[in-house]
Structure formats: structure tokens, C-alpha cells
Amino acid sequence: MSEPPSLSPRTLAAQALGLIDERTRAIVPPIHLATTFQRDPDNLYRSGNSYGRPDNETVREAEALIGALEGASTTLIFGSGMSAAIALFLSLGPGAHVVAPKGMYWALRAWLANEAPAFGLSVDFVDAEDLQTLVGALRPGATKLVWLETPSNPLWGVSDIEGAARAAHAAGAVLAVDSTCATPIFTRPIALGADVVMHSATKYLNGHSDVLAGGLCFARDDGLCARARTIRQSHGMILHPFEAFLLIRGLRTLDLRVRAAAANAMELANRLSNHASVSTVLYPALPHHPGHDIARRQMKGGFGGMLSIRVRRGPEAAIAAAARVRLWKRATSLGGVESLIEHRASIEGQNSPCPPDLLRLSAGVEEVEDLWCDIDQALRG
């Protein structure tokens, strides 16, 4: 579904592509819950619908909207971010070599390290924020996919998407980017050379902490996309239509929510940089951040709503500070309208690269003064 290029992402999202239900003229299309569909008299399915596991009209509407925001040729929606990512890796087939970052979403990193070898995949974890290190890890002819996550969770490192795309393509590989935290409001990886964009749509795309969903946005409807579609169908990974409806509803305010969260994160990052109880603030907008220059180049209009702080007195002080918040919620996940705080090392356990004195903050859309007063008193004890 192509849209006029003159429309901004805010407009595309707010109007959900302007879809109107043709039968009722409703400006909010109905939820299509049916799991099976009647054949035509000659035994064909001219409606394009046959069964609920491979496809669904409400899911297609969500896919069209996310694809328009990312500038994708084809978008596939899954039941979670993990299922979307795993479907892509399984699409590579046995014997494929993958390059992935050391700093990335912990659950997916654990799957790549512990489960992917059983499917014939070999994975090298590298410092993907150093382009030369990334290039050195490529095996021309064997490397099938380079995976980036930028900004990376929970240290918020920034990788050079354009540089990684050139390197991956020169080695005969495709580049996939987890752009969950940047969102298409601030970064469009396909425009920077990426072949696939992955979203944990549970986070910012839905934005209300009430839907599990994931998405793969493909620059081309090619063989890799076709295999991912087949895996989604055969493994039953498609998103339920009601969740797809909620996802569309959340996407209508994506631009407003993401910009509000980013403005709060920026203000908090500046204040926390001068807090006596904080040794380091990790946020790409700050000039001292090692990825700041790349972030300025590829993140347009903002740096996202995620930041982390390292508490000066160590892990026990970090955990104690999280215990004292009243407004921030001690909860995992990110990207909702409510602000969340989490001691990540406790979640990730042994072998985590996350410093034990680190608290991850997902800035919501509340009044920033309220958020500041709460985190300030929690840190001061």
C-alpha cells in the first residue's frame, strides 16, 4: 500500500493511513476475528483469505502502517519481538554465520548463544559500535546476516548503520537492525541501507504496555522475506487480530508519545549528569557519549526515551534507589506511556555485560518535574 510521499510520519500514524471501512464508512476499520473463510464456487479464494494462521486483514492493516513508517516493501507482524527476530534467523538456514553485537537485548542474545547452534547457525558477538571490528568479523560467502541494535539496550551504544550496510553487502550478507528504541520517528534504517528492520512492537510502537507484538520490515519482498513468511505460517507466529487492532490504535499517537518521552529523557539526562549520587549517565544525546556524533547523523529529531545511570555507591545503592521510587514503576520492558526503572543486572544474571551499578530508565510522558522529584529523592535516599 503506497502513500503520498508528502505526508509526514505523524500524519500517516495519526490517521492509520486513512483507511475507511468501505461497507460502513467507519473511520476505524473493524476487527476481523474470523479464522476461516468460504471458498468461491470454483474452489478458489479470490478474497485473499483462506485461514487465520497465515494471514489476517487486521494484521495486514497494522503491517501496512508500520511498513509505511519504515519505508518498507513488505512488513510481517508476529506475536512478539522475539518470535519476529527468531523467524528471521531461522530463515537463514543451517550453516549460516551471523555477526551480532555484544551489547544487545539480553533474551535474544541468550537465544543466539544457547539455542541458535542447534539450528545450524554460528554466531560471533563483536563490538558492533566499532565499525572496523565489525568488518573484521565478517566471513565473505559464509556470513549471511549482520545484526545491529542501535541504540543498544541497556548501555545505549550507537552503531553506524550506513557503514555496517556497506560492509555487510560487500561480504554478501544482509543487514538487519533492531530499531525498537529509535522507532521510525527518529531513525529509518532502510533509508540508511539496511535490508531488514526489526521492532519489538510491544514497546514504543504499541506504547501502552498491553500488547506483545513484533515486526520485520523488509526493504525488498525477496527470498529471505518469503522464508520468514513461511516460518511465521508454519510455526503459528502471527499476531492475534485483537492485538493487531490495539497495536494500530497505539501507533496513532506514536509520534506524539515518542517525542514527549524523548524530551523527558533529555531533560532527565542533563539533570542526572550533575547529580551527586550518579557517576555516569548513558544517553546518546549527551556530547560526551562515545556514539554521539553517529547518533546526531542517523537519529533525526531526537535521541529516544531510554537512558541508563550508574549509581556512584555501587550495586546495593542502585537497588536501594530503585526501591525508593514512588512514581516510577519497578518493572521490566520499556517504551510505554508510564516511566519504568529497572536494575538490569538482576534480570540478566551471570555473564551479563551490564554493570551491576546500572539502573535502566524508560522515560514516559508524565510531567518531567514529577519524574525528576521522584528519581532525585530516590537517589538521595
Side-chain angles (χ1 to χ4, degrees), residues 99-112:
V99 176
K102 291 181 178 178
M104 61 181 292
Y105 176 55
W106 183 246
L108 183 56
R109 188 184 192 279
W111 186 88
L112 288 171

Side-chain angles (χ1 to χ4, degrees), residues 279-299:
S279 61
T280 307
V281 177
L282 305 174
Y283 186 57
L286 299 177
H288 67 262
H289 189 284
H292 177 68
D293 289 340
I294 296 175
R296 285 185 61 193
R297 187 168 71 241
Q298 68 188 23
M299 300 184 78

Side-chain angles (χ1 to χ4, degrees), residues 8-147:
S8 71
R10 176 181 290 197
T11 300
L12 290 174
Q15 293 212 357
L17 301 182
L19 294 177
I20 301 294
D21 180 55
E22 290 301 323
R23 187 179 70 84
T24 65
R25 307 304 294 163
I27 63 170
V28 176
I31 307 172
H32 294 272
L33 295 170
T35 58
T36 193
F37 302 84
Q38 180 169 278
R39 290 178 183 268
D40 297 328
D42 57 4
N43 221 34
L44 297 178
Y45 283 113
R46 288 184 177 82
S47 70
N49 300 302
S50 60
Y51 189 59
R53 178 157 47 84
D55 214 346
N56 172 269
E57 181 59 29
T58 306
V59 170
R60 283 195 289 262
E61 291 167 4
E63 290 171 341
L65 177 51
I66 295 171
L69 293 173
E70 285 291 0
S73 170
T74 301
T75 297
L76 300 174
I77 300 296
F78 294 77
S80 69
M82 281 291 290
S83 62
I86 289 171
L88 182 65
F89 288 114
L90 294 181
S91 299
L92 301 174
H97 174 246
V98 173
V99 176
K102 291 181 178 178
M104 61 181 292
Y105 176 55
W106 183 246
L108 183 56
R109 188 184 192 279
W111 186 88
L112 288 171
N114 302 322
E115 306 296 333
F119 296 94
L121 302 176
S122 62
V123 184
D124 282 331
F125 295 98
V126 303
D127 179 5
E129 293 145 37
D130 184 327
L131 186 58
Q132 291 308 115
T133 299
L134 181 70
V135 170
L138 296 171
R139 305 177 194 169
T143 303
K144 301 301 180 185
L145 186 140
V146 175
W147 182 268

Side-chain angles (χ1 to χ4, degrees), residues 91-334:
S91 299
L92 301 174
H97 174 246
V98 173
V99 176
K102 291 181 178 178
M104 61 181 292
Y105 176 55
W106 183 246
L108 183 56
R109 188 184 192 279
W111 186 88
L112 288 171
N114 302 322
E115 306 296 333
F119 296 94
L121 302 176
S122 62
V123 184
D124 282 331
F125 295 98
V126 303
D127 179 5
E129 293 145 37
D130 184 327
L131 186 58
Q132 291 308 115
T133 299
L134 181 70
V135 170
L138 296 171
R139 305 177 194 169
T143 303
K144 301 301 180 185
L145 186 140
V146 175
W147 182 268
L148 294 184
E149 180 180 324
T150 182
S152 63
N153 185 0
L155 302 180
W156 314 117
V158 179
S159 298
D160 182 346
I161 297 174
E162 286 185 301
R166 287 193 297 270
H169 296 159
V174 300
L175 176 68
V177 178
D178 180 345
S179 195
T180 295
C181 293
T183 81
I185 302 304
F186 295 143
T187 305
R188 301 180 79 203
I190 289 174
L192 297 173
D195 303 285
V196 188
V197 180
M198 177 268 180
H199 283 284
S200 174
T202 308
K203 313 305 196 294
Y204 285 103
L205 297 191
N206 176 61
H208 292 81
S209 303
D210 55 11
V211 168
L212 284 174
L216 294 176
C217 305
F218 292 86
R220 294 167 298 281
D221 191 355
D222 55 11
L224 184 64
C225 176
R227 289 192 294 276
R229 183 186 288 108
T230 298
I231 287 170
R232 183 181 74 169
Q233 174 180 342
S234 59
H235 290 239
M237 292 176 164
I238 197 168
L239 185 65
H240 188 276
F242 182 69
E243 277 68 42
F245 165 78
L246 289 177
L247 176 57
I248 294 169
R249 188 166 74 164
L251 280 161
R252 286 178 180 267
T253 58
L254 175 67
D255 189 284
L256 300 173
R257 290 185 289 100
V258 167
R259 292 187 190 279
N264 280 352
M266 183 76 257
E267 181 66 20
L268 292 168
N270 283 325
R271 296 191 191 190
L272 288 165
S273 294
N274 298 308
H275 199 287
S277 298
V278 175
S279 61
T280 307
V281 177
L282 305 174
Y283 186 57
L286 299 177
H288 67 262
H289 189 284
H292 177 68
D293 289 340
I294 296 175
R296 285 185 61 193
R297 187 168 71 241
Q298 68 188 23
M299 300 184 78
K300 304 299 184 181
F303 297 87
M306 297 302 302
L307 67 154
S308 294
I309 58 174
R310 299 186 65 175
V311 178
R312 193 175 297 280
R313 297 187 303 278
E316 292 77 13
I319 294 171
R324 286 191 290 264
V325 295
R326 303 187 186 103
L327 179 62
W328 294 75
K329 305 303 183 206
R330 290 181 299 278
T332 195
S333 197
L334 55 94

